[in-house]
Structures are given as structure tokens and as C-alpha cells.
Amino acid sequence: MSTLDTGLTLIRTAAGRVSKANGWMGNAFKGWMPTGLYARALLIMIVPMVVLQTVVAFVFMERHWNTVTRRLSAAVVQDIASLIDVYKGYPQDKDRAQLRRIGQRLQLVVDFLPVGDMPPPGPKPFFSLLDQTLSVQIGRQIGRPFWIDTVGKSNLVEIRIQLDDAVMRIFAQRSAAYASNSEIFIFWMLGTSSILLIVAVLFLRNQIRPILRLADAAESFGKGREAPNFRPRGAREVRRAAQAFLEMKARIERSIEQRTAMLAGVSHDLRTILTRFKLELALIGDIPEVDGMRKDVDEMSAMLEAYLAFARGDSGEVAQPTDMSMALEELRSDAERHGHTATVAFHGLPVVTVKPASFKRCLANLVSNAARHANTISITGHRDHRYLTVTIDDDGPGIPANMREEVFKPFLRLDDARNQDEGGTGLGLAIARDIARSHGGDITLGDSPMGGLRAAVRVPV
């Protein structure tokens, strides 16, 4: 392998590692990020504000507060150094009266103590900028042993300088050596930022609320429920999305109404013809050929009813609170009347908002499908804060795993399948899934602990 090929291989390897590292960091970052729009919008507002205030505070502290404090402290220490020079240059001033007068003009209170050891170092404040600055300036300009106290008296700073024959004690105004109004700037900065943040939060909540209402209206429509109080509100883009949703909802409802009206007309015409057939067969009399024709007419009538029920769905019915425990108990009674062994159990709050007639038809199709091929049926309902789940288990032969999705197709009939309804049209499971999906849920088939098939219906509550 040439040197160029080796270099390209190393570059590709390094690029792959960098790409994996970026992917890992991206996934980790996504894990820490909030998922809601409200939280993300707040984060978008808060993070730049915090970063900006941090930068401004740092620049202010570094360029203004520290600089001003250093200059003020240097000026005070310079005045003290001048007083020490006067003390050394005028030994004839025995009582130091002249020196004290000069100190008063410099706004310093000067006193002299006997020679002795300096007091022990006092407590230091958490943020001891003044202590650090004064210590540096005294060591630089005076160069003698010293002791300072910036905590004892709030408005004064005490400084002691070790001289040859005395200890000079100076009291200076804190404001003369320290930029004391800097906290006010930080307070106003944080206060105004907090007020702006509160206003932004309130404004953002008002902007997010129409989006949540739109989502609730779409979810209710997907569950087959009405949202009568919904109307477009909020920003222009949100109003546009809400208006588009309402127009889509109206088009879907018009399409369903047109299909229902068409099917009602077809049903009326076909039922009229079938009624004439039955009347003509009744007039012919009882002969062997007529019995077969009557069976064909009855089968045709059952197929027509099943087809119309599948095509019509649950249109026109309004969702309302329904006691599902009672509905499951009725299904159990129906199964036992037909000679099957059935049990029912329900867990959780039984009242669920569904379209009662259509949802009961969905469950009845599944129970009758189980009863056709099994002797024992177990019906279990469970309701939590999100879903209602109804499972129907039986001890029948079941359905092969590779055919459990195929049996939901309309008019599909297996040779020894269990998806045939009473009329033999192959629409029982198709109608059941159509009703479940109109409620925003679905039906799944699986293996039952009883050895047969498990049909599970799950719809949102």
C-alpha cells in the first residue's frame, strides 16, 4: 500500500470517529433538551438572555468595577503614603496636630498607637475585592507591615501601618476606596431581566394556548368526537393552520354525508328488489326449487346489510360517556345464551366516552368471531389515564401469525378461517377495525394464554 493510500485510510478513520463522536454528542444533547414547544421557546429566550447578562456583568466587573476600585484604592493608599512622608519629614510636629489636619483635608482620620504587634487577621468577606486591592496597593506603594479591616464598620475602612516608632491608624470612607454602587447596577440588571422574562412567559403562554387547542380539536376529531367551542385564534400562522383544519374537517364530513346518502339510496333500491323477490317466491308456493331460491335471497339480503354496515361505518352517531363494564357484561350474557362459557373482568374507571352502538358492534363482532370457533371465551377490560383496552381470549384453533393482518381485509375468507361473520361475507373483522380506528384506536391479533386467539381493542379515552 502506498503512502497516499495509507494517509487516505487514516483520514477516513479519523473522519468516521469524529462523525460517531458528533452523533453521540447530538443524541446526548437531545436527551437533555425539553420536548415541548413551550419549554423549548422558553429556553430559546432564557439562554441568550443569561449569556448576554453574563457577558455584560463580566465586562462590567472587569472593565469598570475592578478598574474603578483599583484606582480609588490606589488614591487612598497614595494619600496614606503622603502622610507617612510628612510624618517622617516633620519630626518637630510632636503632637501630630498638623498631620491630623492634613488627614482631615484628605477625608482621613489619622491616629497613632504605641509600637506593638499587629492584631490577628480579621474575617474576610466572601467577595473580598477591596481587601485584595488595598493589600496590593499598600504593598506596592508603602512596603511596610500592615493590617486592614473592611468588615468591622460598614462605612469605614480601618488601616494600620507599622512605622519605626509607632503604628499609624487610618480610618477612610469605604466609598473613597471602593465602587460601592456596583451592586445597584447588577440589581437593576437582574430585576429588569426578571420582569421582561415574566412578561415573555405570559405572552408565550397566550401564543401556545391556540396551538394546544388546535391539537385537542384534531385529537377529538380523530376519536370521532366534536369540538364545538373551537375556532381559529392566536397568531396569523396559527389561525391559518386552524382554518385549514376546519376546512379539512368540513370536507371529510361532507364526503361522509354524501357517501351515506348514496348508500341509503342504494340500500332502498336493492331492498325493494329483494322484497319483490320474497313476495313472488311466497306467491309461487312451497316447492323444492323455491326453498333454494329463498335461501339465496336471504343470503343476498344478509350480504347487502353487512356491506352497507361496513361502508356506512359509524357515521351520524355522537360519542357519549358509556359504562363499559355493563357493555362487556351484556356481551357475556349474549355468548352464554348461545351455549358458550364466558367470563368478564374489568379494571379501572368503567365510564369511557365512545360511540356506544358502534363500539358495542365492534366488540360483538370480535366475540361472535371467537364464539364461532371456540367453547370458552374470556373478556377483559382495562382502563387507565390514556387508553381503554379490551382483550377477548378464546380456546379455539386460532389464526396463523402470517395471516393475522390479512383477515382484516374486506371480503377475505379463509378456508378454515375464523373471520367469517354469520352471513359469510368476511366483513366482521373489517367492520370491527374500521370502528376502532374511527375512535382513534386499533385492533391487534395475537396468541391467547387459553391456547387460541387473542383480539385486543385499544382506543384512547
Side-chain angles (χ1 to χ4, degrees):
M1 182 180 292
S2 63
T3 305
L4 179 60
D5 294 337
T6 304
L8 292 175
T9 302
L10 293 175
I11 292 174
R12 292 192 186 98
T13 303
R17 292 177 179 176
V18 171
S19 178
K20 290 181 180 179
N22 289 335
W24 180 83
M25 292 178 62
N27 293 331
F29 183 72
K30 289 180 181 178
W32 286 96
M33 287 291 292
T35 57
L37 177 61
Y38 183 66
R40 289 189 176 186
L42 282 179
L43 197 62
I44 291 173
M45 291 189 303
I46 292 174
V47 170
M49 184 180 297
V50 171
V51 172
L52 177 62
Q53 289 189 353
T54 302
V55 173
V56 170
F58 176 76
V59 172
F60 173 79
M61 294 281 291
E62 183 65 25
R63 298 294 180 86
H64 177 75
W65 196 6
N66 291 351
T67 302
V68 172
T69 300
R70 283 196 299 268
R71 291 180 179 177
L72 291 175
S73 298
V76 171
V77 174
Q78 187 175 1
D79 293 340
I80 295 174
S82 301
L83 291 176
I84 293 175
D85 293 339
V86 171
Y87 173 79
K88 292 179 179 180
Y90 293 91
Q92 62 273 19
D93 189 10
K94 299 297 184 180
D95 56 355
R96 280 62 172 189
Q98 188 68 23
L99 190 63
R100 290 188 177 91
R101 253 192 321 269
I102 296 174
Q104 289 178 359
R105 289 184 177 273
L106 298 175
Q107 297 183 349
L108 300 175
V109 178
V110 182
D111 192 9
F112 291 90
L113 302 175
V115 178
D117 295 333
M118 291 291 184
K124 301 293 183 183
F126 177 75
F127 188 68
S128 57
L129 176 62
L130 180 58
D131 293 69
Q132 297 174 4
T133 306
L134 282 175
S135 299
V136 170
Q137 293 298 330
I138 292 174
R140 181 181 302 170
Q141 298 188 37
I142 299 177
R144 286 179 172 273
F146 66 92
W147 177 86
I148 59 176
D149 181 16
T150 60
V151 180
K153 297 182 179 180
S154 58
N155 296 326
L156 297 176
V157 175
E158 181 180 356
I159 304 173
R160 297 186 184 185
I161 306 296
Q162 180 76 52
L163 302 178
D164 295 336
D165 55 351
V167 174
M168 178 183 287
R169 182 172 64 179
I170 304 100
F171 289 99
Q173 294 290 331
R174 179 183 290 269
S175 58
Y178 179 69
S180 58
N181 60 345
S182 302
E183 295 89 346
I184 299 177
F185 171 78
I186 297 178
F187 171 77
W188 277 105
M189 183 177 66
L190 295 177
T192 53
S193 299
S194 301
I195 294 174
L196 292 176
L197 183 60
I198 293 173
V199 173
V201 168
L202 296 177
F203 178 78
L204 183 60
R205 289 184 61 185
N206 292 332
Q207 297 302 311
I208 294 295
R209 189 176 292 114
I211 301 177
L212 297 177
R213 289 176 178 171
L214 174 59
D216 293 339
E219 185 178 2
S220 298
F221 181 66
K223 295 177 181 179
R225 306 172 188 173
E226 290 293 331
N229 298 326
F230 174 73
R231 63 185 182 188
R233 293 180 179 178
R236 180 180 59 187
E237 293 80 5
V238 180
R239 289 175 178 266
R240 182 178 176 184
Q243 190 64 38
F245 165 73
L246 292 177
E247 293 175 358
M248 178 195 70
K249 179 175 177 289
R251 286 195 297 268
I252 293 175
E253 290 175 346
R254 284 196 302 268
S255 176
I256 294 175
E257 291 176 359
Q258 292 173 359
R259 187 182 70 172
T260 303
M262 180 190 67
L263 291 175
V266 171
S267 172
H268 179 270
D269 295 339
L270 292 180
R271 284 172 179 169
T272 301
I273 297 174
L274 289 175
T275 302
R276 286 206 305 264
F277 282 169
K278 291 179 180 180
L279 181 60
E280 292 172 356
L281 292 175
L283 293 175
I284 291 176
D286 293 333
I287 58 176
E289 292 80 2
V290 173
D291 292 336
M293 295 178 65
R294 285 197 184 101
K295 292 180 180 179
D296 291 339
V297 171
D298 292 338
E299 184 178 356
M300 185 182 300
S301 178
M303 291 177 64
L304 175 62
E305 294 296 334
Y307 170 72
L308 291 176
F310 172 71
R312 184 169 56 249
D314 55 358
S315 61
E317 189 177 7
V318 179
Q320 58 187 3
T322 305
D323 192 334
M324 293 308 304
S325 62
M326 294 181 59
L328 297 185
E329 192 66 32
E330 292 177 2
L331 293 175
R332 182 193 64 80
S333 300
D334 293 340
E336 288 183 346
R337 277 198 302 269
H338 289 83
H340 296 83
T341 302
T343 59
V344 169
F346 193 90
H347 308 282
L349 184 65
V351 179
V352 181
T353 301
V354 294
K355 297 179 179 179
S358 61
F359 194 73
K360 185 178 179 181
R361 178 187 176 115
C362 168
L363 298 179
N365 284 356
L366 297 176
V367 172
S368 63
N369 185 71
R372 195 171 299 112
H373 298 275
N375 297 321
T376 305
I377 303 171
S378 176
I379 306 172
T380 305
H382 181 270
R383 186 258 173 93
D384 56 20
H385 66 287
R386 295 187 60 190
Y387 295 102
L388 165 68
T389 305
V390 179
T391 57
I392 300 169
D393 296 300
D394 61 58
D395 59 352
I399 295 177
N402 59 343
M403 295 297 298
R404 288 174 183 168
E405 283 297 321
E406 299 293 327
V407 295
F408 287 105
K409 294 181 179 179
F411 306 106
L412 179 67
R413 301 176 61 181
L414 304 178
D415 292 338
D416 53 352
R418 43 182 302 149
N419 69 323
Q420 301 177 11
D421 55 4
E422 293 180 358
T425 58
L427 289 173
L429 291 179
I431 293 174
R433 172 169 274 189
D434 184 66
I435 294 173
R437 287 181 173 176
S438 69
H439 284 76
D442 203 353
I443 298 177
T444 56
L445 301 180
D447 296 325
S448 171
M450 300 172 61
L453 184 72
R454 163 173 285 186
V457 184
R458 190 177 77 163
V459 295
V461 295

